[in-house]
Each structure stands twice: as structure tokens, then as C-alpha cells.
Amino acid sequence: MTNDSYLSTNKSTDSLRRQPSQKRGQERVEKILEAAAAVFDEMGYEAATTHQIASKAGTAVGSLYQFFPDKASIFNTMELRHTERVKAMWAQTDVEAIVSLPLRQMIDLLVKAISQLFENPVSRVMFIQFYTNRQVFQSIDEGMTQEAINFLASILKQRNPLLNDLQLSLIAEVCVHSSNAVILSALRNPDLQRRQLLAKEIEDLLVAYLEPYVRDAVGDNLNNVMKVMICPHCYSKQISKNGQRRGKQCYLCKDCRKQFVKSS
């Protein structure tokens, strides 16, 4: 699965002043980016300097300037590298295969893929900085979050075609935003065991939330999956049947007290 809304991978070096032509130069650039991730993580973007980044990378600041004109260009290159990794993660996800898996196993695979993504220090820092210092970003915006929501909604649609577009959008949005909140907490925690436990909690959270919508009944057993009604006025799930009108089932929302007819 590709993601056309992301920047193409051949733009990943746009912020570089000079393209490294040899392996040694490429390794130096990667070392600078990893050092920048450590400095931004420790100092924050505003307080970080190119001298600190060069020192962390074990190179002269003049060598850093051969590739990057300033701190902003380093940060932007990190953004683009993270975007590439996210694109690769989605592209490597075999949607057809995971849709047919039991719900917990499907969620486990998705959570593990995301955990592996954030083992990379650049991706880890990009995620944290996006939620703590968003104004410095040039390439990444809320579009990346929306792509994750759309991706999950497409998976849920295949598991339960009875869900309408509004339901799919709301369910996927809750999953992504709640997961991101826990991921942020985990990535900022220096305790590896704590991070691993939080990842497991994300899995449990998603399974518990999704079970009413996309249980393990798939394919020919879709009739066994609960179809959850949502009020089109206030999006509440507190719905009760309220007679019929012209042969169609009517419902009453217990929260906003408005009535609506079941859509076809």
C-alpha cells in the first residue's frame, strides 16, 4: 500500500547542501542525523545548536556544514526520513492477510510494526517533537495522522462491511488518537520495560474497543458481527428502537432525544 499524500522518497535529500557520493559521506550524514535526534531529544529544538550536534556526532562543525546549512535543514531531513519509514511500514503491511486473522493477532502485528518504527531514534524524536513543538515542522502535518486513520478504516471496512463510512471514520479516529497518546507517553519514558508494557496496553485497549465492531467473525460469518448503531445527530451509541415508518425501522437517541430512520 503506497501513500501518495506523503512526499516522495526522492525528495528525502532536498535539505542537504551537498549530496554524499561515497559511502563514507553517507555514513557521516546518518551519524549527524542520529546525533541530532539525541540532541533534540535532550535539549529540545530551540535550545539545540549545530555545534552540539556536531560534537555529539564526533565530527567538526565545518564537516556538518558541508551537508547542512543550518539546524532547520537537519530537522527537515529528519522529517523526510521519518516519512519514508512510515510509508515503508504501510507498504509492507499485507492488508489482505491480516484482515483474515483473529482480531488480537491482527492488532498485535500492527502494534509491533509501529513499535519497530520507533526503535529508530530519528522517528522516535520526530513523533515526540510533533506533539510538543509542532510549529518547527516543514513537511509533516496532520495529514500523516489522517492517513493512519484512513488506513485503519479501510481494514475495519474489510472486516465488517456492515459499518458505514461515519462509523468507520469515528472508530478509526478514536483508535489512532488514543494510541498516539499512549505511544507519546511510552516514547518519553526512559524505562524500556515500561515502554514494552505500555505497548501491550495499547494492544489490549484496541482489542477491547474494537471487539463490538469487528469480532473474529469474518467472511461468511459476518452476520455474527454486531452492527452498532450511531445517532447521526450527536454520534451517541445509546440507541433504542422506536417503531417503524413506511416499513423502515425507526430509532430514538437516548442522549439527544432525536429520532432517525435506519439508512439502507
Side-chain angles (χ1 to χ4, degrees):
M1 175 179 178
T2 58
N3 192 329
D4 294 335
S5 70
Y6 291 151
L7 297 174
S8 61
T9 55
N10 61 12
K11 293 184 180 180
S12 64
T13 55
D14 281 354
S15 294
L16 289 172
R17 169 176 278 168
R18 179 172 69 85
Q19 307 301 326
S21 57
Q22 298 181 353
K23 183 179 179 180
R24 182 179 177 183
Q26 294 169 357
E27 291 175 347
R28 187 179 302 171
V29 167
E30 293 304 317
K31 197 170 184 179
I32 290 171
L33 294 177
E34 290 184 8
V39 173
F40 290 144
D41 190 31
E42 179 182 354
M43 308 291 297
Y45 177 81
E46 300 299 339
T49 67
T50 51
H51 283 78
Q52 291 170 332
I53 294 171
S55 176
K56 190 74 173 179
T59 189
V61 70
S63 179
L64 181 151
Y65 285 137
Q66 289 180 8
F67 300 104
F68 301 99
D70 51 30
K71 177 176 66 175
S73 67
I74 297 175
F75 193 89
N76 185 233
T77 299
M78 293 170 66
E79 288 184 65
L80 298 174
R81 293 294 172 87
H82 174 59
T83 299
E84 289 177 8
R85 293 187 182 102
V86 172
K87 288 176 63 177
M89 179 181 67
W90 295 138
Q92 292 166 9
T93 302
D94 189 342
V95 175
E96 291 184 4
I98 67 172
V99 163
S100 62
L101 294 173
L103 178 60
R104 180 168 289 278
Q105 189 175 349
M106 183 189 83
I107 296 299
D108 178 66
L109 288 175
L110 292 174
V111 171
K112 283 181 178 177
I114 294 171
S115 297
Q116 290 174 0
L117 171 72
F118 291 122
E119 287 177 2
N120 181 280
V122 171
S123 287
R124 174 181 173 274
V125 169
M126 286 296 97
F127 189 89
I128 294 173
Q129 288 292 312
F130 184 74
Y131 286 100
T132 58
N133 197 18
R134 192 168 304 188
Q135 66 272 15
V136 302
F137 282 78
Q138 301 177 44
S139 303
I140 297 176
D141 56 23
E142 286 293 347
M144 181 174 284
T145 302
Q146 188 58 50
E147 286 295 334
I149 293 171
N150 295 343
F151 179 78
L152 180 57
S154 69
I155 292 177
L156 300 179
K157 179 69 173 178
Q158 293 184 58
R159 287 188 67 98
N160 184 2
L162 297 177
L163 294 170
N164 61 45
D165 290 342
L166 174 60
Q167 289 173 308
L168 290 166
S169 175
L170 290 173
I171 295 167
E173 186 171 344
V174 168
C175 289
V176 170
H177 285 301
S178 59
S179 297
N180 282 350
V182 182
I183 290 170
L184 179 62
S185 177
L187 294 181
R188 300 179 77 174
N189 196 306
D191 187 336
L192 175 60
Q193 184 178 12
R194 182 78 173 180
R195 294 199 300 270
Q196 293 172 339
L197 290 172
L198 285 170
K200 182 63 170 61
E201 289 300 313
I202 293 174
E203 180 182 328
D204 292 342
L205 175 71
L206 293 179
V207 170
Y209 176 67
L210 289 173
E211 269 189 328
Y213 303 102
V214 287
R215 291 178 180 172
D216 289 337
V218 293
D220 295 335
N221 296 318
L222 277 172
N223 289 332
N224 296 325
V225 180
M226 182 186 299
K227 184 174 182 181
V228 180
M229 297 299 298
I230 293 180
C231 173
H233 304 290
C234 70
Y235 308 136
S236 170
K237 300 174 190 174
Q238 302 302 314
I239 307 298
S240 62
K241 291 184 177 181
N242 192 36
Q244 292 192 348
R245 181 184 303 169
R246 296 179 181 177
K248 292 187 176 181
Q249 180 65 56
C250 297
Y251 294 90
L252 174 68
C253 176
K254 296 179 181 179
D255 287 333
C256 71
R257 308 303 299 174
K258 292 183 179 180
Q259 300 183 53
F260 62 95
V261 178
K262 177 182 178 182
S263 59
S264 57

